Amino acid sequence: MILAFVGTAGSGKTTLTGAFGKYLEGNGYSVAYVNLDTGVKNLPYSPDVDVRESVTAWELMEEGYGPNGAIVESYDRLLPAIGEYVSKILKLDGERDYVLIDTPGQMETFLFHEFGIRLMENLPEPLTVYLFSPDILRKPSDFCFARFFALMIDLRLGTTTVPALSKVDTVERIDDYRKFLDDIEYLTARLKLDPSTQGLLAYKMCSTLPELAPPTRVVYLSAKTGEGFDELETLAYEHYCTCGDLT
């Protein structure tokens, strides 16, 4: 099973990759780790495939690139070897129960660079986990954005994408978040009361979600406490078998 963790910088992708991998290993599964972040210096896991063996962002910065330019240039240089990385991941997929892919901290690098797109389209039915943290959810339209962005990732990568709220151990009233994320009808009703242009746009977007979005459910995760890991494991199993959808 191949799981790719995608999310903005600070959403906890790398920490969660390591913690979920340890959880799976503790349950008797064999796990392989793939690091696709050329800018990370320390990892909480030992990668079986590591793009930093070919190029790093900090080395490119020493050549005169700025931080963002170095990241983009690093994937330009990795692109000719995309077939090699696909082959390595496929080999690991045949040898291990799980392959966990840790994507770049700058999510746009993975979503908008050809390296990320070509990698994902050549992997057999990978499950993408879209992580977003509680601090971006301040008003109803933010919840609409998070749910809709998961759909956009699904469209861009061509993979089944599971929206996942990370760092739930930092949330005091998680049920308040669940009402907006789990119940689209409730969220849409709240958005209908917002007379602003932003509220109207969010209302129209969320009204289409039941029709557009594939059947799935939001996962609530904490790398610190392990909350939601059993649910994510179940979702991965459901994705790779024929016993049901992800609702």
Side-chain angles (χ1 to χ4, degrees):
M1 302 182 188
I2 301 175
L3 276 71
F5 293 95
V6 174
T8 56
S11 60
K13 293 184 299 295
T14 298
T15 303
L16 189 68
T17 299
F20 185 58
K22 290 179 181 177
Y23 162 84
L24 292 172
E25 291 170 343
N27 285 344
Y29 295 106
S30 58
V31 180
Y33 300 89
V34 177
N35 172 52
L36 298 182
D37 192 347
T38 59
V40 67
K41 289 196 173 182
N42 299 305
L43 294 172
Y45 56 84
S46 179
D48 297 89
V49 175
D50 193 346
V51 292
R52 297 175 304 172
E53 294 177 358
S54 299
V55 61
T56 65
W58 60 87
E59 290 172 339
L60 293 176
M61 290 176 66
E62 293 176 357
E63 295 181 16
Y65 289 91
N68 292 330
I71 293 291
V72 174
E73 175 65 18
S74 67
Y75 291 99
D76 285 344
R77 298 189 184 187
L78 288 171
L79 188 57
I82 187 69
E84 297 176 24
Y85 285 106
V86 169
S87 295
K88 289 178 180 179
I89 294 173
L90 292 178
K91 185 174 185 296
L92 289 172
D93 186 36
E95 297 172 346
R96 312 286 179 87
D97 297 315
Y98 283 86
V99 178
L100 306 184
I101 301 177
D102 186 11
T103 64
Q106 290 78 6
M107 180 172 61
E108 64 274 17
T109 305
F110 191 71
L111 292 180
F112 296 104
H113 196 283
E114 191 177 357
F115 179 86
I117 304 303
R118 287 178 57 183
L119 180 83
M120 296 300 285
E121 70 183 11
N122 281 286
L123 298 180
E125 298 296 328
L127 179 66
T128 300
V129 182
Y130 163 53
L131 298 175
F132 53 97
S133 55
D135 55 6
I136 72 166
L137 303 175
R138 302 180 182 277
K139 51 187 181 298
S141 58
D142 296 333
F143 290 85
C144 176
F145 173 82
R147 289 303 307 266
F148 223 90
F149 201 81
L151 182 60
M152 293 299 98
I153 294 174
D154 198 315
L155 175 63
R156 179 64 176 167
L157 297 181
T159 64
T160 298
T161 302
V162 174
L165 181 65
S166 63
K167 303 180 181 179
V168 295
D169 56 282
T170 66
V171 177
E172 292 184 2
R173 301 178 61 179
I174 190 63
D175 287 342
D176 291 343
Y177 288 79
R178 285 182 177 272
K179 283 192 298 185
F180 284 101
L181 290 171
D182 293 341
D183 191 341
I184 295 299
E185 291 185 1
Y186 175 82
L187 174 58
T188 303
R190 288 294 303 272
L191 288 169
K192 193 175 184 179
L193 301 176
D194 186 346
S196 68
T197 301
Q198 185 183 37
L200 177 61
L201 176 60
Y203 168 72
K204 289 184 176 180
M205 291 174 63
C206 272
S207 296
T208 66
L209 271 175
E211 179 182 356
L212 297 177
T216 187
R217 57 188 182 271
V218 179
V219 187
Y220 299 84
L221 302 171
S222 169
K224 185 176 181 179
T225 66
E227 182 176 347
F229 282 3
D230 54 345
E231 178 73 3
L232 183 56
E233 180 188 354
T234 299
L235 273 172
Y237 174 76
E238 291 175 357
H239 175 66
Y240 282 94
C241 76
T242 58
C243 58
D245 58 31
L246 299 185
T247 54

